Amino acid sequence: MARHSGGRGWYGKVLGAALGVTLLATGASVWTAQAGAVDDSAPKATASPGPGGAVKPVAVTIVHASDKGARGVNITIDDGPDPVWTPQVLDVLREYGVKATFCMVGTQAQAHPDLVKEVVAAGHRLCDHSVSHDTTMDKQSQAYQSQQILDAERMITEASGGVRPMYYRAPGGAFTPYSRKLAASRGMRPLGWNVDTKDFEQPGADAIVATVERELPNGPTLLFHDAGGDRSQTVEALRRILPELREQGYSFGFPVR
């Protein structure tokens, strides 16, 4: 999800539950600033059996493109799963025959494994969004980054019944060369976005739809949220934007791997 402040009481609960992790720093940077050279000191995770099968490393670059090509759109949903809003988002996606990528917070996945399994059963893809959604990840130690990424991978995989996340999206886009290489070594392609709908600010469904219409020329990957607050505006905006995009000749796909 995009970085922001205010109105995030839900994250206080998540942070408190996140394995006793203490935030060590503050600050922010966007994912675009982290898309450069990879630190060769990052550990190389080896392919290993376990839940979801052997790990196949993927590219370390941050992906935005759609596997549907130039007229493809990637719907990505961050911060859940949430017992109130994720089922409603799933209903809308099902209604319009759209598949999405769900970027899940580890503690949320652990708390709601039934919803993780429902997401997988519906044909959507999973994405690791860290254990506790710490948007200062790029200011933390490599050990901390590793714990956040790998523990969330484990939590999501266990909650899903063995399906591994295919992507890693840093909270607030706080990627580092280390975190990208670590995620890629675990088979999780670093995932960015092109259109931040700002739905977390609850600007109204009209504003969310207008943002998508205005910014879609920037690229195909759209950022929405299914947790962290009242997401009724997100649900309504999706109900409006999905058929509109299809009428305009867009196809819905997944970020390339």
Side-chain angles (χ1 to χ4, degrees):
M1 59 162 290
R3 297 193 190 200
H4 52 83
S5 60
R8 307 303 290 174
W10 176 80
Y11 284 119
K13 297 178 182 178
V14 173
L15 290 172
L19 306 179
V21 171
T22 301
L23 299 183
L24 301 177
T26 58
S29 65
V30 295
W31 55 261
T32 49
Q34 298 296 343
V38 175
D39 180 3
D40 286 337
S41 67
K44 297 179 176 63
T46 58
S48 58
V55 174
K56 182 179 180 180
V58 293
V60 301
T61 52
I62 298 172
V63 65
H64 307 93
S66 175
D67 63 5
K68 293 296 185 179
R71 297 291 287 179
V73 172
N74 304 322
I75 302 297
T76 66
I77 314 289
D78 282 19
D79 297 1
D82 179 273
V84 174
W85 303 112
T86 302
Q88 294 185 46
V89 169
L90 287 171
D91 285 346
V92 174
L93 295 172
R94 185 180 304 112
E95 179 180 354
Y96 294 104
V98 173
K99 305 303 181 187
T101 300
F102 284 77
C103 300
M104 296 186 174
V105 173
T107 50
Q108 291 295 105
Q110 189 175 55
H112 306 290
D114 55 329
L115 290 176
V116 183
K117 292 180 176 68
E118 186 175 348
V119 166
V120 171
H124 305 294
R125 289 185 179 179
L126 301 177
C127 171
D128 180 333
H129 202 34
S130 83
V131 171
S132 60
H133 201 279
D134 180 359
T135 58
T136 71
M137 283 273 284
D138 54 341
K139 307 299 182 183
Q140 309 299 339
S141 69
Q142 291 184 352
Y144 178 92
Q145 294 175 54
S146 178
Q147 175 266 317
Q148 286 281 315
I149 295 168
L150 299 183
D151 281 4
E153 179 194 11
R154 173 184 54 79
M155 290 174 175
I156 294 167
T157 302
E158 290 176 354
S160 72
V163 178
R164 293 182 182 276
M166 298 179 69
Y167 308 92
Y168 167 65
R169 173 174 277 167
F175 288 103
T176 67
Y178 175 87
S179 69
R180 290 192 290 113
K181 187 168 185 178
L182 176 61
S185 75
R186 296 294 303 166
M188 297 182 291
R189 182 75 184 266
L191 175 60
W193 63 83
N194 304 106
V195 180
D196 182 357
T197 67
K198 300 295 180 71
D199 61 336
F200 59 84
E201 295 179 351
Q202 301 180 11
D206 287 347
I208 296 170
V209 171
T211 297
V212 173
E213 293 171 341
R214 181 179 66 252
E215 297 187 11
L216 188 57
N218 294 336
T221 301
L222 313 185
L223 172 60
F224 298 91
H225 299 82
D226 64 343
D230 185 332
R231 295 292 164 243
S232 56
Q233 295 176 8
T234 300
V235 173
E236 177 59 26
L238 284 168
R239 185 172 285 112
R240 291 164 54 181
I241 201 66
L242 297 181
E244 177 181 316
L245 291 176
R246 181 158 281 151
E247 288 173 4
Q248 294 174 6
Y250 288 97
S251 299
F252 297 97
F254 295 110
V256 298
R257 290 266 295 161

